[in-house]
Amino acid sequence: MSRIAFLGAGNIAAAIVDGLLAQNPAARTDLVCLGGSGKSAAALATRTGITLANSLDELLASADILVVAFKPQHLAAADPRLADLATGKLVISVLAGKRLATLEKTFPHARNLVRAMPNTPAAIGAAITPYCSLAPLTASDRLAVEALLGACGQYLELVEEHMDAVTALSAGGPAFLFEFVAALRDAGIAANLPPDISARLSIETVLGAARLLARRQIDPEKLRDQVTSPNGTTLAGLRRMEAGNFRGVIRETILAAQARAAELSKNSSSQIFPC
Ligand SMILES: NC(=O)c1ccc[n+]([C@@H]2O[C@H](COP(=O)([O-])OP(=O)(O)OC[C@H]3O[C@@H](n4cnc5c(N)ncnc54)[C@H](OP(=O)(O)O)[C@@H]3O)[C@@H](O)[C@H]2O)c1
């Protein structure tokens, strides 16, 4: 395996490292990390056995791939020496809202640049990560990118113009789904279920339904119709959802998040959210 350097060693870097080591524990000798002023990099190195670099030079000395995994607002103030230190390397950024053209200003001599947008299920190897690259990937770089993103779950290549929509749908999606589960739980409590029972039923119902959907590979509407008898209880609930414009609200949710992502990616030096 190529030597991989992680600049930023927080949640997402840890998820990638954990995924890579789960597939190949011996790979720890090829992984090296560096954080900011806090303790995350030392903690990651101690927990996983990967190398802790003491400086940018040490981080990048023998690395072939650089994973950029700090907060987006730190990019504008990134060490200018990165331009030379990353010469000839494949740079993979997971920074929300940072476009390839913006990243290129920090890494002008990189062999190629990849922009990837994982989601929080990366922590358990269940992410879906869309990615795009500045120049078409060579076969060996594609293998390296897909091995790395595959360590967090699934991945797919998309053109960059879709990245704001992706930020809304799949990166923000877990938050929207968590909100849905919370609403389901509260509704169960309103229907007089004990809170712990309502919480458990809500989580397991969403999990089971999502697994069934993934397993059957058919449209969600078909599965919905299979549990909806004429004049039955589910139909009564679905009618209420329709009357409350459920689909319209979800559509507006995604479009609002997409619009915000577009706004933030235009402003290269602004404060920006994780996703
Ligand atoms: N979490 C997600 O699910 C998710 C999803 C999609 C994209 N992302 C992107 O992933 C990136 C990291 O997110 P996260 O959740 O992993 O954040 P995090 O847990 O807060 O970790 C941030 C890391 O960056 C380090 N850091 C801070 N300043 C730095 C600097 N100047 N140079 C180098 N490293 C620096 C921190 O080190 P110290 O601890 O030493 O300060 C820490 O290791 C963000 O850009 C976010 O947009 C995250």
Side-chain angles (χ1 to χ4, degrees), residues 100-259:
L100 289 163
T102 305
L103 295 164
E104 201 182 8
K105 290 180 189 148
T106 306
F107 304 102
H109 314 303
R111 165 167 98 240
N112 202 348
L113 284 166
V114 170
R115 177 180 171 192
M117 183 46 59
N119 58 12
T120 49
I124 56 162
I128 175 87
T129 306
Y131 73 90
C132 55
S133 60
L134 187 64
L137 287 163
T138 61
S140 61
D141 279 350
R142 179 177 301 282
L143 273 180
V145 168
E146 295 188 347
L148 194 128
L149 301 182
C152 294
Q154 299 181 43
Y155 51 79
L156 75 159
E157 189 173 11
L158 281 180
V159 290
E160 190 172 24
E161 66 177 282
H162 292 318
M163 289 307 266
D164 292 337
V166 155
T167 303
L169 185 70
S170 57
F176 306 141
L177 200 71
F178 298 146
E179 176 63 15
F180 177 80
V181 174
L184 207 55
R185 177 204 61 207
D186 290 352
I189 295 168
N192 281 332
L193 282 172
D196 56 333
I197 301 287
S198 190
R200 184 170 168 207
L201 290 175
S202 302
I203 296 167
E204 294 302 328
T205 300
V206 168
L207 189 60
R211 288 171 63 191
L212 181 68
L213 187 57
R215 181 87 59 90
R216 293 278 160 82
Q217 303 254 319
I218 58 176
D219 290 341
E221 286 86 348
K222 286 213 171 89
L223 283 173
R224 177 201 63 197
D225 292 346
Q226 283 171 16
V227 290
T228 310
S229 341
N231 259 335
T233 54
T234 308
L235 185 63
L238 284 168
R239 285 203 170 128
R240 190 64 195 83
M241 282 175 105
E242 196 180 346
N245 194 22
F246 179 75
R247 285 196 175 211
V249 170
I250 298 297
R251 186 174 179 277
E252 281 164 29
T253 301
I254 298 301
L255 294 182
Q258 179 192 29

Side-chain angles (χ1 to χ4, degrees), residues 7-13 34-41 68-72 74 77-78 94-97 116-122 171 273-275:
L7 184 56
N11 296 316
I12 206 73
L34 180 67
S37 53
K39 294 187 176 148
S40 58
V68 184
F70 48 67
K71 293 285 186 195
H74 291 134
V94 296
L95 274 55
M117 183 46 59
N119 58 12
T120 49
F273 64 133
C275 29

